[in-house]
């Protein structure tokens, strides 16, 4: 005869059997190659820094770690691929602020934030505004004056429609009354190539990308509340007299939401420790990132970023 006690024991047994594969998977992780997906093409600072982290992660885990570039749709292609991947800890996303911007820019984004689990921050990412030296301006005020007097809109390159670069450009236009023509590219490297080739009059790129082109392009300002420690000679938009709300971006690592907690915790710990290594942290600063070691609760930080960018997008009526 079935009793309540026997039913409880049977249910407990079934639960144990169901959990066994997960426990076994967790105990043996990692046992094969890991993949870090980047939403940009090769050649940009985000791709380069992710590869540095991937090399260190491989050393610490004793398994190969590859970087796979999936550019397009302002990071949605990469984010969707990771959100839909097996939640086994072998697929990671290294991405930027676009991950939180897309959910406000699109009525039906291809992923939800709840599909992804924040693992660890990589760094804050101030955005630089650059112009080719051939444009004939040396300050942001001169650029604004040239834009106001031009018979046709000056152009600005971005690393994607709906990116931080696009949003900051829209805020700058509304705060100054100028009109600029956005030219979106599939990543930072193509945007920088366009500046050097004279295809666009200006561009929003990473500080690291801007500094690397100092021979041919001038960095007029950065979107950051304060000047950067590594590049203190570059003024902020506020200092230049044209506020853009201190719209600093961020970058970090995510996994599919259902990754087993022990695996997620291990990944998060390893990634934080790698980013904190002196040589990796120095590389991070050289490439124009700012340290984010002060962010203890990355998941909470991401939630706040969703709200912050949503507020800007709605206030300035930005659409794509």
């Amino acid at each position: 005869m079935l009793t309540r006690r026997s039913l409880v024991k049977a249910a407990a047994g079934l639960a144990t059997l169901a959990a066994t594969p997960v426990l076994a998977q967790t105990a043996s992780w990692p046992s094969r190659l890991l993949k870090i997906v980047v939403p940009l093409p090769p050649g940009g600072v985000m791709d380069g820094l992710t590869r540095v982290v991937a090399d260190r992660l491989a050393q610490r885990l004793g398994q190969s770690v590859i970087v796979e570039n999936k550019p397009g749709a302002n990071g949605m292609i990469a984010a969707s691929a990771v959100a839909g991947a097996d939640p086994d800890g072998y697929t990671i996303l290294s991405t930027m602020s676009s991950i939180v911007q897309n959910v406000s820019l699109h009525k039906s984004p291809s992923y939800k934030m709840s599909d992804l689990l924040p693992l660890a921050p990589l760094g804050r990412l101030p955005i630089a505004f650059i112009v080719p030296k051939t444009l004939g301006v040396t300050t942001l005020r001169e650029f604004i004056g040239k834009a106001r007097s031009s018979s046709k809109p000056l152009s600005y390159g971005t690393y994607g429609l709906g990116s931080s670069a696009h949003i900051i450009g829209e805020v700058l236009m509304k705060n100054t009354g100028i009109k600029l023509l956005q030219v979106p590219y599939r990543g930072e490297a193509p945007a920088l190539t366009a500046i050097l080739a004279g295809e666009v009059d200006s561009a929003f790129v990473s500080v690291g990308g801007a500094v690397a082109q100092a021979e041919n392009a001038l960095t007029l300002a950065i979107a950051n509340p304060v000047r950067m420690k590594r590049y203190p000679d570059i003024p902020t938009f506020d200092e230049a007299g044209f506020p853009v709300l201190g719209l600093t971006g961020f970058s970090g690592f995510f996994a599919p939401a259902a990754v087993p907690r022990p695996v997620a915790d291990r990944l998060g710990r390893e990634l934080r420790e790698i980013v904190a290594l002196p040589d990796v942290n120095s590389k991070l600063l050289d490439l124009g990132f700012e340290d984010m070691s002060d962010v203890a609760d990355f998941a909470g930080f991401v939630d706040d970023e969703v709200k912050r960018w949503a507020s800007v997008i709605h206030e300035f009526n930005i659409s794509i």
Side-chain angles (χ1 to χ4, degrees), residues 34-243:
L34 286 81
K35 176 172 65 178
I36 303 180
V37 179
V38 179
L40 296 167
V45 297
M46 186 72 191
D47 174 74
L49 188 55
T50 299
R51 292 178 187 276
V52 171
V53 173
D55 288 344
R56 291 305 185 91
L57 187 62
Q59 294 171 16
R60 294 169 73 100
L61 297 181
Q63 295 291 340
S64 297
V65 181
I66 63 169
V67 173
E68 180 177 318
N69 299 89
K70 283 185 174 292
N74 195 36
M76 281 203 296
I77 293 174
S80 298
V82 174
D86 289 337
D88 51 15
Y90 291 95
T91 304
I92 307 166
L93 176 67
S94 174
T95 191
M96 306 177 300
S97 299
S98 60
I99 194 170
V100 300
Q101 294 158 350
N102 286 328
V103 295
S104 291
L105 287 167
H106 297 267
K107 291 183 178 179
S108 301
S110 58
Y111 64 91
K112 302 186 295 293
M113 290 307 300
S114 58
D115 296 333
L116 293 158
L117 178 68
L119 293 173
L122 179 55
R124 291 184 176 89
L125 189 56
I127 305 301
F129 185 60
I130 66 172
V131 296
K133 290 184 176 180
T134 54
L135 190 65
V137 303
T138 58
T139 67
L140 183 60
R141 190 169 295 279
E142 289 178 1
F143 177 86
I144 299 298
K146 186 177 184 70
R148 284 175 175 156
S149 63
S150 179
S151 59
K152 64 178 182 178
L154 299 183
S155 58
Y156 74 101
T158 70
Y159 45 84
L161 193 65
S163 63
S164 294
H166 173 198
I167 293 171
I168 294 169
E170 292 286 341
V171 172
L172 179 64
M173 284 191 284
K174 288 184 171 65
N175 281 352
T176 59
I178 64 173
K179 182 66 177 177
L180 301 174
L181 174 66
Q182 183 199 185
V183 183
Y185 294 90
R186 287 172 61 86
E188 177 182 78
L192 286 168
T193 299
I195 273 282
L196 300 181
E199 294 177 6
V200 290
D201 300 307
S202 61
F204 287 94
V205 296
S206 70
V207 176
V211 170
Q213 304 302 329
E215 184 176 339
N216 300 298
L218 293 173
T219 302
L220 302 185
I222 57 170
N224 206 43
V226 297
R227 294 196 183 203
M228 301 176 68
K229 293 180 180 179
R230 186 61 58 98
Y231 301 107
D233 295 335
I234 305 174
T236 67
F237 274 92
D238 288 51
E239 289 176 322
F242 302 97

Side-chain angles (χ1 to χ4, degrees), residues 6-21:
S6 63
L7 286 171
V8 169
K9 290 178 66 177
L14 289 172
T16 300
L17 287 173
T20 298

